[in-house]
Each structure stands twice: as structure tokens, then as C-alpha cells.
Amino acid sequence: FRRVLFRSYSSAEAAVRCLSAGADIALVPADPIEALTAVQEAVRGGTLSHKDIDASCLRVLELKQWCGLLAKRQHPREVISLEEHGMLALKAATSAVRVHGNDDVLPLEQYHHLACFAMVQNNDIDPASGFFHYLSQVYEKDTDIAYINADIDDEALEQFARDTEVADCVLFAVFASARAYAGTVELHPRLMHAARELGKYRPVIAVIFGNPYIEQSFPANVHVVCYSDSKASRGAACLALSKKSIHLL
């Protein structure tokens, strides 16, 4: 049913149909402005009842009241430094990291040569570059680094395999956040093919940023799953890969 809504209706149509069917909330439309404008026009045109909209709002507010979300809370204001803010973010990101699979594949320090591939669904390589910068601080041995997107052809793939054949471990950093209305949460088939080809005959580590669903199908001995690709999550991933910890206040 979800796919039917995504593929058959615009944000405007989906929102109006959703509320007409009796839902109280049209949740996360692809284009919120389009959805809101359509709902307003539907109320003015009589397609949606102003009374029903008010009743939906009241039900939502009553549930928020029941959950305590509307209670006023007084929190003392406290100014913290950028360093303190960064440490708090790292603490939260470290708590969110999950390591699944063969834990003996870690830490990275047991390997003499690492082949690292950043897999990106678009042309934004900044998060991957930031991750490799942090990685260099916890792993100082020989490292090969490459960036791969879905446009990779067989010739380039074979060249990567030849260039990294001396590495005794392969690390994939996967940057492919799940997107609403994309129709799938899976990694591009071409990237999956590249992972299978480049990871042959060696231990494989997959660090997955922002899309935990990929873990189910991505070929690796161990998966390090991170909440997002933020700076804090990238740092937390490197701590998990090295099995190191820092003192977090």
C-alpha cells in the first residue's frame, strides 16, 4: 500500500486522500509545502471539512498532552564551548554505534595493509574524506583509498582489484542514506557487485552510515552500523574499528 501511494500520487494528492480517508496526520510528504497548500485548498473547496481538520488537531493535541509533551519545562540555560559540544555529540554517536558479526575481524591494528573503499550514492565525497581523515588517526599502517559510485565500470573495478591485491583486509565505508519515496532502501546493484568482487578472499569490514537496512544484504564479516554520517558518527566509527575508547565527560 505504501508503494502505491508513493508511486501513484503527488504529495498534494497523497495528503488530501490521506486526510479524507480519516487519518489525523499526513506523515512526511516528499514536498511538505505542496501537501500543505493542497490541504488548505481542499478545505476552502469543501473537499475536506474544516470541522474534521479541527477534530484531528484536537486528537493529536490530546495525545501529546497525555504523553506529557505539552508540559512546560524549565531548563537552566548553560553555555558550553564548541569542544564540549563536540564531546557530547561524540558520546551520543558512540552510544549509537552497533557492531554485528565476527568481532575477531577487529581491531584494524592486526592488519599490515588496508584497502579502503568509500561507496557513495552521489558525487558528495566530503563525508567519506572526513571519515578517512579520522581513520588515519587510529590506523597508521599502509592504506589504499578509493571512491566508488554506481557509474563504476568493469575495467575500473578490475584495476582497483589489482591495485589493492596486497592488502590483507578490505574496508567498505558505505554512505547511502535511506531516502523517502526512493522506492527502495537497498544499495545500488552496481555497488553491491563491486563489494563482492573487491572483497574476495580477505576479511571484509563494512561501515554503514545512516542506512541500517543495507547491513542485511551487504557482504562483510563484520558490520559497523552508525546512526548517520555526521562528524561525530564518523569519529565514533573509527573508535569502534580500533576498539579504542576515550574519556567522555
Side-chain angles (χ1 to χ4, degrees):
F1 179 71
R2 183 180 300 173
R3 290 184 177 179
V4 172
L5 279 178
F6 288 174
R7 295 176 181 176
S8 302
Y9 303 121
S10 65
S11 294
E13 293 172 308
V16 173
R17 285 175 177 266
C18 172
L19 297 176
S20 297
D24 290 328
I25 299 176
L27 190 63
V28 196
D31 188 332
I33 301 302
E34 178 186 318
L36 179 59
T37 301
V39 170
Q40 291 173 330
E41 292 176 352
V43 171
R44 285 193 290 266
T47 304
L48 290 175
S49 163
H50 200 296
K51 181 179 179 181
D52 289 342
I53 296 294
D54 284 346
S56 291
C57 291
L58 181 60
R59 281 192 291 271
V60 172
L61 289 173
E62 287 175 343
L63 289 172
K64 287 187 175 183
Q65 180 69 41
W66 179 80
C67 293
L69 297 178
L70 301 182
K72 292 184 178 180
R73 296 180 176 87
Q74 297 295 329
H75 297 288
R77 293 186 177 184
E78 181 181 357
V79 178
I80 63 174
S81 66
L82 287 176
E83 181 179 0
E84 291 174 305
H85 180 274
M87 292 297 287
L88 288 172
L90 181 58
K91 181 178 181 180
T94 300
S95 299
V97 170
R98 295 292 180 266
V99 179
H100 301 146
N102 183 1
D103 191 51
D104 291 338
V105 176
L106 300 174
L108 296 179
E109 190 61 28
Q110 64 186 291
Y111 305 108
H112 300 290
H113 195 137
L114 197 62
C116 298
F117 298 97
M119 296 193 149
V120 295
Q121 293 265 55
N122 51 44
N123 293 323
D124 182 13
I125 65 171
D126 288 344
S129 297
F131 168 72
F132 288 141
H133 171 70
Y134 292 149
L135 186 65
S136 67
Q137 298 179 42
V138 297
Y139 183 82
E140 300 179 350
K141 299 178 183 180
D142 290 340
T143 307
D144 299 320
I145 291 175
Y147 299 83
I148 300 176
N149 63 20
D151 295 329
I152 187 171
D153 56 31
D154 288 337
E155 183 179 352
L157 190 56
E158 291 172 2
Q159 186 62 53
F160 281 144
R162 287 192 295 269
D163 290 343
T164 61
E165 62 183 1
V166 298
D168 51 349
C169 179
V170 177
L171 186 152
F172 293 107
V174 184
F175 295 85
S177 297
R179 294 172 296 169
Y181 303 93
T184 181
V185 294
E186 297 295 331
L187 195 62
H188 193 283
R190 192 63 187 164
L191 292 176
M192 293 295 291
H193 172 68
R196 287 189 290 268
E197 291 300 310
L198 295 171
K200 287 181 176 178
Y201 316 121
R202 294 170 289 187
V204 175
I205 301 167
V207 186
I208 300 171
F209 293 97
N211 186 349
Y213 305 105
I214 293 175
E215 178 190 357
Q216 300 174 20
S217 56
F218 197 92
N221 298 101
V222 64
H223 297 86
V224 179
V225 184
C226 302
Y227 179 74
S228 72
D229 64 1
S230 66
K231 290 182 178 179
S233 288
R234 285 176 257 156
C238 290
L239 290 176
L241 291 169
S242 63
K243 288 191 172 181
K244 293 181 180 178
S245 61
I246 60 174
H247 178 63
L248 298 173
L249 299 177

